[in-house]
Amino acid sequence: MFRTHTQKAFTLFISSFFLILALASCGTTTTGTPSSASPVPAQGKVIEVVAAENFWGSIATQVGGDHVYVTNIITDPNADPHAYEPTAANARTVADAQYVILNGAGYDPWADKLLQSNPASGRKVLNIGDLNGKREGDNPHMWYNPDDVTAVVHKLHDDFVTLDAADATAFDQSEQAFLTNGLKEYHTLIADIKAKYAGTPVGATESIFSYLAPALGLKLVTPYSYLKAVSEGTDISAADEATVEQQIKTRQITILVYNSQNTPNNIQKVLNLATVASVPVTTITETLTPANASFQDWQSSQLKGIQSALSKATGK
């Protein structure tokens, strides 16, 4: 059940408060897993937010602070956001939302269909692909691009202020806290890796690393057509497959970064080759892992894994 927060007369406040507490465990579910959501403040205006994916929901929760309530649709690390089948509960959740966040760029077309099927007057929508100039066919994994993440933070802040101008100061404070404190380790790790390992050739199994690699100053040598094919579940060309295998066998790559949530047989073969060639392997994932992690803790943990693999491979 999705909750709606309204300003009521004082005489109804107490009963409303206990109703909220009673419903605290309700929410949109995905593949049987309850969705994560931001805490519910005891008073004041609250913007009902729905995020198609929990990584964007985590950011929205922190930018909005006590003045937003965020429900995430995709929360299960085993769910495939590309192929997710929305439920009737998801439709109700979107229908009641004041603000909806979808990734866009062809990543979650089901979310756009939910919006079209459940029109609502006054609802604002943030399509992150549109915000960052990405279209279907482009790399949609924008949460791995630090610049795109910053753009989303600013947009969320501005939209929340538009919806709740009375709490603009609170949104200013929470946005600044997230950018300067919440993302501090994330940005420090990116800067440290870039300073130490700039120009280092690396390989990957999916396009989710295609934005982060240049941000880290790393030279991603895996053919992009290979990365995109694995990400989209399409056939890999024989030439690309041969190139990737040769890069590993001859140690043209220093480390291999792979998406542990997507390991079809051809990728398992690549991982085995890396083990034989003593090429360090490190993992990244498509969605928050664990599911209740914050965006920055999840990303920082993965960055530490990349840093450790680079250190092992280069001895520095």
Side-chain angles (χ1 to χ4, degrees):
M1 184 184 301
F2 189 84
R3 286 157 286 182
T4 302
H5 299 270
T6 58
Q7 293 185 334
K8 299 179 181 294
F10 180 74
T11 55
L12 295 178
F13 174 77
I14 297 299
S15 60
S16 298
F17 176 73
F18 282 105
L19 178 60
I20 290 170
L21 291 180
L23 296 176
S25 62
C26 298
T28 297
T29 59
T30 175
T31 60
T33 304
S35 69
S36 58
S38 58
V40 184
Q43 60 185 358
K45 182 172 181 178
V46 177
I47 302 169
E48 293 283 5
V49 179
V50 173
E53 296 86 16
N54 61 0
F55 38 84
W56 294 127
S58 174
I59 294 174
T61 296
Q62 296 176 80
V63 174
D66 288 343
H67 295 285
V68 301
Y69 182 84
V70 180
T71 300
N72 301 305
I73 294 179
I74 297 291
T75 62
D76 185 351
N78 296 313
D80 182 357
H82 298 271
Y84 181 70
E85 293 291 337
T87 65
N90 297 153
R92 289 192 297 271
T93 299
V94 168
D96 290 340
Q98 296 168 269
Y99 191 78
V100 176
I101 306 166
L102 64 153
N103 190 79
Y107 185 75
D108 45 12
W110 52 267
D112 194 51
K113 291 177 182 177
L114 279 178
L115 286 167
Q116 294 176 23
S117 301
N118 298 276
S121 176
R123 180 176 61 204
K124 286 185 69 68
V125 176
L126 171 57
N127 183 313
I128 292 169
D130 290 347
L131 175 68
N132 291 311
K134 303 295 191 301
R135 301 177 180 177
E136 185 170 358
D138 293 335
N139 186 348
H141 306 103
M142 292 164 282
W143 59 98
Y144 274 101
N145 185 333
D147 290 339
D148 287 348
V149 168
T150 299
V152 169
V153 170
H154 292 318
K155 179 61 173 173
L156 287 169
H157 164 270
D158 293 347
D159 285 350
F160 291 158
V161 170
T162 298
L163 290 168
D164 180 14
D167 292 310
T169 298
F171 292 129
D172 292 347
Q173 293 172 345
S174 55
E175 177 197 33
Q176 191 61 28
F178 180 61
L179 289 172
T180 58
N181 297 324
L183 293 178
K184 182 177 181 180
E185 183 180 34
Y186 165 76
H187 285 300
T188 297
L189 285 164
I190 290 173
D192 288 349
I193 292 172
K194 187 172 185 177
K196 196 168 188 178
Y197 301 106
T200 301
V202 300
T205 63
E206 267 208 42
S207 61
I208 60 173
F209 192 57
S210 297
Y211 288 130
L212 185 56
L216 297 173
L218 303 175
K219 184 180 180 182
L220 181 56
V221 299
T222 308
Y224 182 73
S225 51
Y226 177 95
L227 301 174
K228 185 176 182 181
V230 174
S231 178
E232 296 178 355
T234 58
D235 291 337
I236 302 169
S237 73
D240 280 349
E241 194 163 25
T243 296
V244 168
E245 292 179 8
Q246 184 68 11
Q247 287 175 341
I248 295 172
K249 291 176 182 177
T250 59
R251 295 179 61 86
Q252 295 175 43
I253 60 171
T254 305
I255 65 170
L256 177 67
V257 180
Y258 89 104
N259 179 359
S260 61
Q261 292 175 332
N262 185 17
T263 53
N265 290 338
N266 58 303
I267 296 303
Q268 191 57 57
K269 178 182 178 182
V270 166
L271 297 175
N272 292 339
L273 287 174
T275 299
V276 172
S278 297
V279 173
V281 175
T282 189
T283 66
I284 56 178
T285 59
E286 194 133 347
T287 57
L288 297 182
T289 307
N292 61 351
S294 68
F295 172 84
Q296 61 268 33
D297 287 348
W298 169 54
Q299 288 289 314
S300 293
S301 177
Q302 295 183 142
L303 287 166
K304 288 174 183 176
I306 293 169
Q307 188 177 51
S308 177
L310 287 166
S311 177
K312 179 180 179 181
T314 62
K316 63 179 182 179

